[in-house]
Amino acid sequence: MILINSLLYLIIYFYCVNAKEVINILINKPDIDANEYLEKYNEMINQYFSMNNINDYDVKFSYCSPVSTDGENLSQIYKNAGSPFSIDVEYAKNFNCTLRELKNVNYDMMILDDRFLYADNSYADFVLLQDEFDFKRFSDFYADYNNYILNIDDINYHDKDILNDGKLGNKKRLYGLPYELDFDVLYYHSVNEKSKDSLSLKVKDSSFKDNNSSDNNSSDNNSSDNNSSEEILSAGFKDNDDLINFFGEFVRYQYNKPIENEISSYNFLYNKESTELYHSFRNFILKLTGNNIEKTLSTTVEEAYLSFLENENKLFRGRASLYKSLKENSNISIKMNSLPDNISVINEKYLVINKNSLKSTDVLVKIALILTSKEMQIYRSMEIGSIPTFNFKNGSDESVISYCQINSDMCNLLEKLNPIRIRNIFKKNKFSAHYLETRLIFPSGLKQSLIDPNDNIASKLFMNILDVLNQSTMDKEIEITPVMVVFMILNVFTIAVAVYLIIFMIKVHRNRKHPYIKAMSPQLTNLTIFGILMRIIYPYFYSFVNTRFLCRMSVVLNFFINNLVYIPLFAIIFRIYYIYTNISSVSYGKKLHDRRLIIYISLILIMSLFAYYGISYFDEYNLETDGSLQYYRFLTCVYDFSKHSLISNIYTFILFAIMIAMTFKIRSISKKYGDTTFIFFIVLLLLSSFLFEKAFDSFLTNGINISFSSIILIFIHIIISLITVYFLIGNRLLYIKKHPIKNKEKLVKADFNNINNLFKYIPIRKSGNSSFTLFDSSNKSKNTNSTNTNSIYSSFVKISNSYFNRSEPIINNDSNYRSLAQSLSKYNSEDINFSNNYTNCDSSNNFEINIMEEKNNNSNNNVIDNNNFNENGINNESEK
């Protein structure tokens, strides 16, 4: 028994000592002979490790196995949303399969091409894909090679452009090491050398247009009687990547567009010129592949390859990496030629370390450097014909010389290569869709336009993926829908209201000296109206939000605009409350002057702006789009709306609670002096604010697909804002228009800068003659006025008592305040029939201001006594 245990122990020991650590690497499935290729690939790589005495590791390559249901739910989402575009379900399966393995620990490393590596990288996120496939950034799953010690000699032999394509962001994080390169070429049989330049035909040539005119006019898209077409080209256009490559090469060669960083050069892909573009592309394909467009678009790469080997077609458009196997085929004589003007889409492959791997990252970095080394790349090129990532335009580089000694034909093409990075074809600006979304929807739309030349879905696709609607509207045709019509009506209505409010502010300013306007603080009133105006037009400024900083500032600005409405409004209510409750006796006049209040308001607005900016600093702000779910891509600022809405609502509730408390206090004191219904505009403003927040929330949620409910809420908000302005100052402007001032000279001389003289002009008195008249000449009105005046007198007696008993000093140099104090002292000591004197005043419908002239030794100021408290002043006026 002891002997058996010892043998088992020795077996386990020797197994553990000699066992190799297996490194699992995910690799893309090739288009031709996939099973045979994988077996040969594994054998080749491990043979290299053995030849170089790297015996501690066993590298195992394998393909990803998609789940059959992958992509189906995404396709259904597009259908349910009524999207005009459809997705490539097969691509969604393969993409999600790779992404799923990145999240797991099954694979330690992956070989990813440039179309997947940073395919999700864009300035604005398409959250539908992020939510559907549960990821934020692909790079979150990659290990950064820069975090580990890399010898510069280990990577400096790579082509700089290819190496830079493996880096991400301003910090140039190196997530992918260049692994190999590939590009498109044209193969032909030696006997068909005359046909090798067939793709060089220019579609703008008259000969091409004449030969294809009958095809353009044919009603049968698949007719076979057009003698101008010949099946000379074999291509696997069922492979959507191959079709995209061919399209990119076509537009670059035929039109020399688009040009990177030249935004206007992309417009021909979706403007009026695009119709000719897609017709020309369709005719170009038909001329080379035959008249059956559906058959051409359903041919796989492997079918095209085998058809070419059988000499059924003179030309084969395929990957340059196939050249070795074709050249070594003894049954055929194949030559390779570059595409027209050496223009070709390149396919860069990178080796990525899965951050979720359980293996030591240091070990994985070591293996990655071996697999991407120049020796390994030359070895793979000799074994399977892969193309290294060297800078082939540098003929003095040793690695280039070593490779070109064996592969001279390939080097000649690489030296002249005019590469296209396919991502740039679809990258008009930073707001363009990321390549992942483009790859999902573009091939289906392009094929649809090729099958039916009358279908312009390809133009609409480019219109969507190249830009966002709220950043580029001048060169886009907007589809008119019922919602769009209502929305345009809303825009016109909003502009009209904005102009009206500006005119309203001008009228308030022009009538600022009128006591009924002066009583409501015209400067503060205009500030409140301006805030309401800004809040109405604020959503239109939202279209200028195109950075994350501006996204954050839009939130801060929204809070600031609300303050621009509430703070001046608070000051107006507080000013009236201060007057009626007589908190500060007679010294309140200067404290509550408009200019001083505006200084306080400005300080509060500035402090609140910086305070809320500080609060916003701790939140995350992002730009998102609804992507290709609709015809147009719309940029949306996204943040924690509920959080900021809660902060704003609490703050607003506190302000309104205080204002409403003051309002009811004012109402209880002032209702016996006149009508104060206007105070209740506060409630309407609160309701308006609530509706605005709801409408804006809906606007953020729906993006460009704005709903009728959102439009209705915004309409209601604007209408209530107008009603609010009416109750605030509009009724007073209406009153003074109906009751013009008889003696404007006295108005000019009147001292309404002293708010003590504005006491009786805060409420608007009603009469039988008009809804808003100040006095009534009838006896009944006189009696009422007498009663009111006695009440006013009683209030001012209290003011006088408070004034003379207080220890608070007042400004003796102000003659207005001193005059008021003297008058109050006189009325406090003498029994005066105030009401009788008051009724001697002129009380016509035309508003007349009675002036009190009081001469002092210190000054010759003219002071108006609007409340008729100075008996001598009244008598003086009567004498005049």
Side-chain angles (χ1 to χ4, degrees):
M1 187 68 181
I2 296 175
L3 181 60
I4 294 175
N5 290 335
S6 299
L7 288 173
L8 288 173
Y9 175 79
L10 288 172
I11 292 172
I12 294 173
Y13 173 77
F14 282 113
Y15 176 80
C16 293
V17 170
N18 295 313
K20 295 181 179 181
E21 187 173 9
V22 178
I23 308 298
N24 292 296
I25 303 177
L26 182 68
I27 190 172
N28 289 333
K29 183 181 294 187
D31 299 315
I32 302 170
D33 296 332
N35 295 330
E36 181 181 342
Y37 179 86
L38 183 61
E39 183 179 350
K40 182 178 180 179
Y41 203 91
N42 276 304
E43 181 181 346
M44 172 192 65
I45 297 298
N46 285 290
Q47 183 179 352
Y48 178 87
F49 273 62
S50 299
M51 290 167 51
N52 290 272
N53 297 319
I54 307 173
N55 300 318
D56 297 332
Y57 309 102
D58 186 13
V59 180
K60 182 181 180 182
F61 293 86
S62 57
Y63 303 140
C64 196
S65 300
V67 176
S68 59
T69 57
D70 278 351
E72 292 181 0
N73 187 54
L74 181 63
S75 178
Q76 191 61 43
I77 291 175
Y78 269 77
K79 292 178 181 177
N80 294 341
S83 174
F85 313 120
S86 57
I87 70 166
D88 182 351
V89 178
E90 194 64 29
Y91 176 77
K93 288 181 181 180
N94 294 325
F95 146 71
N96 194 37
C97 182
T98 304
L99 181 62
R100 185 185 298 111
E101 296 302 341
L102 276 171
K103 300 173 187 177
N104 296 328
V105 298
N106 299 329
Y107 289 95
D108 307 302
M109 308 172 78
M110 296 186 181
I111 298 174
L112 304 176
D113 62 24
D114 56 330
R115 303 175 191 226
F116 183 96
L117 184 65
Y118 304 128
D120 66 320
N121 186 35
S122 66
Y123 193 74
D125 293 336
F126 182 29
V127 289
L128 172 62
L129 295 183
Q130 293 177 337
D131 294 340
E132 178 67 18
F133 297 110
D134 190 24
F135 73 94
K136 182 65 177 176
R137 290 283 185 272
F138 286 176
S139 56
D140 293 341
F141 307 111
Y142 306 154
D144 185 1
Y145 287 101
N146 287 331
N147 294 335
Y148 306 92
I149 300 175
L150 295 179
N151 191 328
I152 190 65
D153 294 332
D154 293 334
I155 58 175
N156 66 353
Y157 53 86
H158 295 293
D159 182 273
K160 289 184 179 179
D161 291 333
I162 298 176
L163 182 61
N164 287 333
D165 286 344
K167 298 177 181 179
L168 179 66
N170 296 328
K171 296 183 178 180
K172 298 296 182 181
R173 299 186 182 277
L174 184 60
Y175 292 116
L177 284 179
Y179 188 76
E180 63 188 26
L181 178 69
D182 214 342
F183 61 99
D184 296 325
V185 295
L186 197 65
Y187 296 104
Y188 62 95
H189 295 276
S190 300
V191 295
N192 296 322
E193 188 164 353
K194 292 182 179 180
S195 302
K196 68 177 183 179
D197 295 323
S198 297
L199 271 65
S200 300
L201 178 65
K202 287 284 188 176
V203 296
K204 292 185 178 181
D205 292 346
S206 57
S207 58
F208 179 84
K209 293 181 179 179
D210 293 340
N211 290 335
N212 289 279
S213 59
S214 60
D215 182 68
N216 290 335
N217 298 325
S218 175
S219 60
D220 185 1
N221 295 329
N222 297 324
S223 61
S224 58
D225 57 357
N226 189 350
N227 297 326
S228 63
S229 298
E230 182 183 359
E231 293 185 33
I232 61 172
L233 177 66
S234 184
F237 290 149
K238 184 177 182 179
D239 184 331
N240 288 328
D241 288 307
D242 215 38
L243 179 62
I244 292 175
N245 288 358
F246 190 61
F247 177 78
E249 292 156 357
F250 173 82
V251 296
R252 177 63 59 84
Y253 172 67
Q254 299 289 346
Y255 302 94
N256 196 28
K257 296 179 183 180
I259 301 173
E260 191 174 356
N261 298 324
E262 288 189 16
I263 293 178
S264 60
S265 67
Y266 287 80
N267 295 347
F268 84 109
L269 294 169
Y270 57 82
N271 61 15
K272 293 180 180 179
E273 298 178 42
S274 64
T275 302
E276 180 184 352
L277 166 66
Y278 299 114
H279 283 177
S280 298
F281 182 56
R282 180 178 186 274
N283 292 334
F284 188 75
I285 293 177
L286 290 173
K287 185 172 182 63
L288 296 172
T289 62
N291 293 318
N292 194 332
I293 189 68
E294 292 186 354
K295 177 184 176 182
T296 299
L297 297 178
S298 61
T299 302
T300 66
V301 173
E302 188 166 19
E303 289 172 347
Y305 177 77
L306 295 175
S307 176
F308 174 72
L309 292 182
E310 296 296 328
N311 203 16
E312 295 178 5
N313 300 96
K314 297 178 181 179
L315 305 173
F316 170 63
R317 182 187 166 281
R319 299 292 176 87
S321 55
L322 293 173
Y323 182 60
K324 178 178 172 59
S325 61
L326 286 170
K327 187 178 180 180
E328 292 177 351
N329 190 333
S330 59
N331 297 324
I332 53 176
S333 177
I334 302 296
K335 290 187 178 182
M336 176 175 60
N337 189 30
S338 64
L339 295 176
D341 286 352
N342 301 298
I343 295 172
S344 178
V345 173
I346 60 174
N347 186 21
E348 303 162 325
K349 294 185 180 180
Y350 296 89
L351 187 59
V352 171
I353 296 176
N354 186 2
K355 191 183 288 186
N356 292 320
S357 172
L358 301 179
K359 305 288 194 311
S360 168
T361 308
D362 291 327
V363 170
L364 296 178
V365 170
K366 178 182 177 181
I367 299 299
L369 291 174
I370 294 173
L371 291 173
T372 59
S373 65
K374 55 185 176 183
E375 293 81 11
M376 171 63 92
Q377 292 202 47
I378 292 175
Y379 172 76
R380 288 202 307 270
S381 69
M382 295 172 61
E383 294 295 321
I384 60 173
S386 62
I387 303 170
T389 57
F390 306 152
N391 181 11
F392 288 97
K393 295 183 180 180
N394 182 10
S396 60
D397 187 276
E398 293 183 1
S399 55
V400 173
I401 295 173
S402 176
Y403 174 81
C404 290
Q405 286 177 347
I406 307 172
N407 304 278
S408 58
D409 292 343
M410 189 67 69
C411 282
N412 289 333
L413 296 184
L414 288 167
E415 289 174 6
K416 301 174 183 178
L417 183 64
N418 186 1
I420 296 177
R421 286 168 169 81
I422 195 63
R423 303 184 308 278
N424 296 337
I425 296 289
F426 305 96
K427 198 71 174 178
K428 179 180 179 181
N429 54 43
K430 65 180 181 180
F431 302 112
S432 300
H434 52 54
Y435 187 77
L436 175 61
E437 181 185 0
T438 300
R439 178 59 183 80
L440 271 172
I441 64 171
F442 179 69
S444 301
L446 181 59
K447 286 184 176 180
Q448 191 174 332
S449 290
L450 291 175
I451 293 173
D452 182 3
N454 297 318
D455 193 336
N456 65 342
I457 189 66
S459 299
K460 293 179 179 179
L461 268 166
F462 270 116
M463 188 184 298
N464 181 287
I465 63 181
L466 288 180
D467 211 343
V468 289
L469 180 63
N470 48 340
Q471 295 297 322
S472 177
T473 58
M474 298 303 294
D475 55 358
K476 292 192 175 185
E477 299 178 2
I478 300 176
E479 183 181 1
I480 303 301
T481 63
V483 177
M484 185 66 70
V485 172
V486 177
F487 187 66
M488 292 175 71
I489 295 173
L490 173 64
N491 292 340
V492 174
F493 180 66
T494 302
I495 293 172
V497 170
V499 173
Y500 178 75
L501 290 179
I502 292 173
I503 296 173
F504 216 86
M505 292 168 63
I506 294 173
K507 287 186 176 181
V508 172
H509 179 74
R510 287 179 178 175
N511 293 277
R512 65 189 182 280
K513 293 184 179 180
H514 195 290
Y516 268 112
I517 304 299
K518 195 79 174 179
M520 291 304 296
S521 306
Q523 294 180 2
L524 299 182
T525 298
N526 269 348
L527 199 57
T528 300
I529 296 174
F530 179 72
I532 293 173
L533 169 64
M534 292 300 295
R535 196 165 63 176
I536 289 174
I537 65 176
Y538 168 71
Y540 295 92
F541 290 107
Y542 189 76
S543 62
F544 296 98
V545 176
N546 57 9
T547 66
R548 288 173 177 82
F549 173 76
L550 291 178
C551 180
R552 178 165 60 148
M553 288 306 299
S554 69
V555 180
V556 178
L557 181 62
N558 187 32
F559 182 79
F560 176 79
I561 290 175
N562 284 338
N563 269 344
L564 201 59
V565 177
Y566 301 143
I567 299 300
L569 180 63
F570 185 90
I572 293 171
I573 301 298
F574 182 71
R575 184 175 184 265
I576 297 172
Y577 174 80
Y578 220 53
I579 294 172
Y580 272 114
T581 56
N582 189 27
I583 293 176
S584 63
S585 189
V586 297
S587 64
Y588 60 72
K590 280 202 167 184
K591 291 182 179 179
L592 301 180
H593 195 279
D594 275 11
R595 293 180 182 176
R596 181 166 292 188
L597 286 175
I598 286 176
I599 293 174
Y600 296 151
I601 289 170
S602 299
L603 291 174
I604 293 173
L605 288 174
I606 293 172
M607 289 191 304
S608 64
L609 178 68
F610 283 101
Y612 206 80
Y613 182 84
I615 293 173
S616 68
Y617 183 80
F618 299 98
D619 287 336
E620 182 179 354
Y621 298 85
N622 199 21
L623 296 176
E624 297 178 357
T625 73
D626 49 4
S628 49
L629 286 177
Q630 305 297 328
Y631 269 120
Y632 307 107
R633 182 177 302 270
F634 194 83
L635 196 66
T636 305
C637 168
V638 178
Y639 55 93
D640 191 347
F641 185 86
S642 58
K643 173 185 174 181
H644 287 276
S645 182
L646 178 63
I647 294 174
S648 179
N649 288 340
I650 293 174
Y651 173 79
T652 304
F653 175 79
I654 294 173
L655 282 179
F656 272 96
I658 297 173
M659 283 192 284
I660 290 174
M662 290 190 296
T663 298
F664 279 106
K665 181 67 175 177
I666 294 169
R667 178 72 174 164
S668 64
I669 295 175
S670 66
K671 62 184 178 180
K672 55 188 175 183
Y673 306 132
D675 181 20
T676 56
T677 306
F678 71 94
I679 297 293
F680 289 104
F681 74 83
I682 297 173
V683 179
L684 291 174
L685 188 59
L686 179 61
L687 178 61
S688 173
S689 175
F690 172 77
L691 289 172
F692 172 74
E693 293 295 337
K694 289 296 181 183
F696 193 64
D697 186 15
S698 178
F699 180 78
L700 287 178
T701 303
N702 292 297
I704 187 61
N705 190 27
I706 188 167
S707 62
F708 275 110
S709 60
S710 303
I711 296 175
I712 291 172
L713 285 175
I714 295 174
F715 262 119
I716 295 174
H717 165 250
I718 294 175
I719 292 171
I720 293 183
S721 295
L722 289 174
I723 297 173
T724 298
V725 173
Y726 172 79
F727 278 110
L728 176 62
I729 198 70
N731 53 359
R732 292 171 180 269
L733 288 174
L734 182 63
Y735 176 82
I736 64 176
K737 182 179 180 181
K738 291 182 177 181
H739 303 82
I741 298 171
K742 178 186 291 186
N743 195 331
K744 292 187 178 181
E745 288 76 12
K746 290 185 178 181
L747 174 65
V748 173
K749 296 179 181 179
D751 182 20
F752 290 119
N753 288 326
N754 182 358
I755 65 171
N756 298 304
N757 296 328
L758 296 173
F759 183 86
K760 71 174 182 178
Y761 303 112
I762 293 172
I764 296 181
R765 290 180 171 81
K766 295 182 179 180
S767 71
N769 297 330
S770 176
S771 298
F772 300 99
T773 56
L774 182 61
F775 302 113
D776 192 337
S777 59
S778 66
N779 292 332
K780 181 179 178 181
S781 178
K782 289 181 180 180
N783 293 333
T784 303
N785 289 337
S786 177
T787 304
N788 290 339
T789 307
N790 284 329
S791 300
I792 297 173
Y793 167 70
S794 300
S795 297
F796 272 83
V797 168
K798 295 179 182 178
I799 294 174
S800 178
N801 289 332
S802 173
Y803 166 72
F804 286 106
N805 291 331
R806 63 182 292 182
S807 59
E808 179 183 329
I810 64 171
I811 303 174
N812 294 322
N813 292 331
D814 193 323
S815 61
N816 293 333
Y817 291 103
R818 186 168 60 254
S819 174
L820 178 62
Q822 292 171 356
S823 298
L824 291 175
S825 176
K826 183 175 181 180
Y827 280 113
N828 191 38
S829 60
E830 299 179 7
D831 183 15
I832 299 174
N833 189 350
F834 185 79
S835 61
N836 292 334
N837 288 301
Y838 181 78
T839 55
N840 290 330
C841 297
D842 184 6
S843 302
S844 64
N845 283 337
N846 292 327
F847 177 50
E848 181 178 2
I849 302 176
N850 298 307
I851 303 296
M852 175 188 71
E853 297 180 357
E854 180 181 349
K855 296 183 179 179
N856 297 306
N857 295 328
N858 297 329
S859 63
N860 294 320
N861 297 326
N862 293 324
V863 181
I864 183 168
D865 183 12
N866 292 292
N867 293 305
N868 301 305
F869 292 135
N870 193 315
E871 184 180 10
N872 295 329
I874 297 173
N875 293 332
N876 290 337
E877 284 294 323
S878 301
E879 292 174 3
K880 290 182 180 181

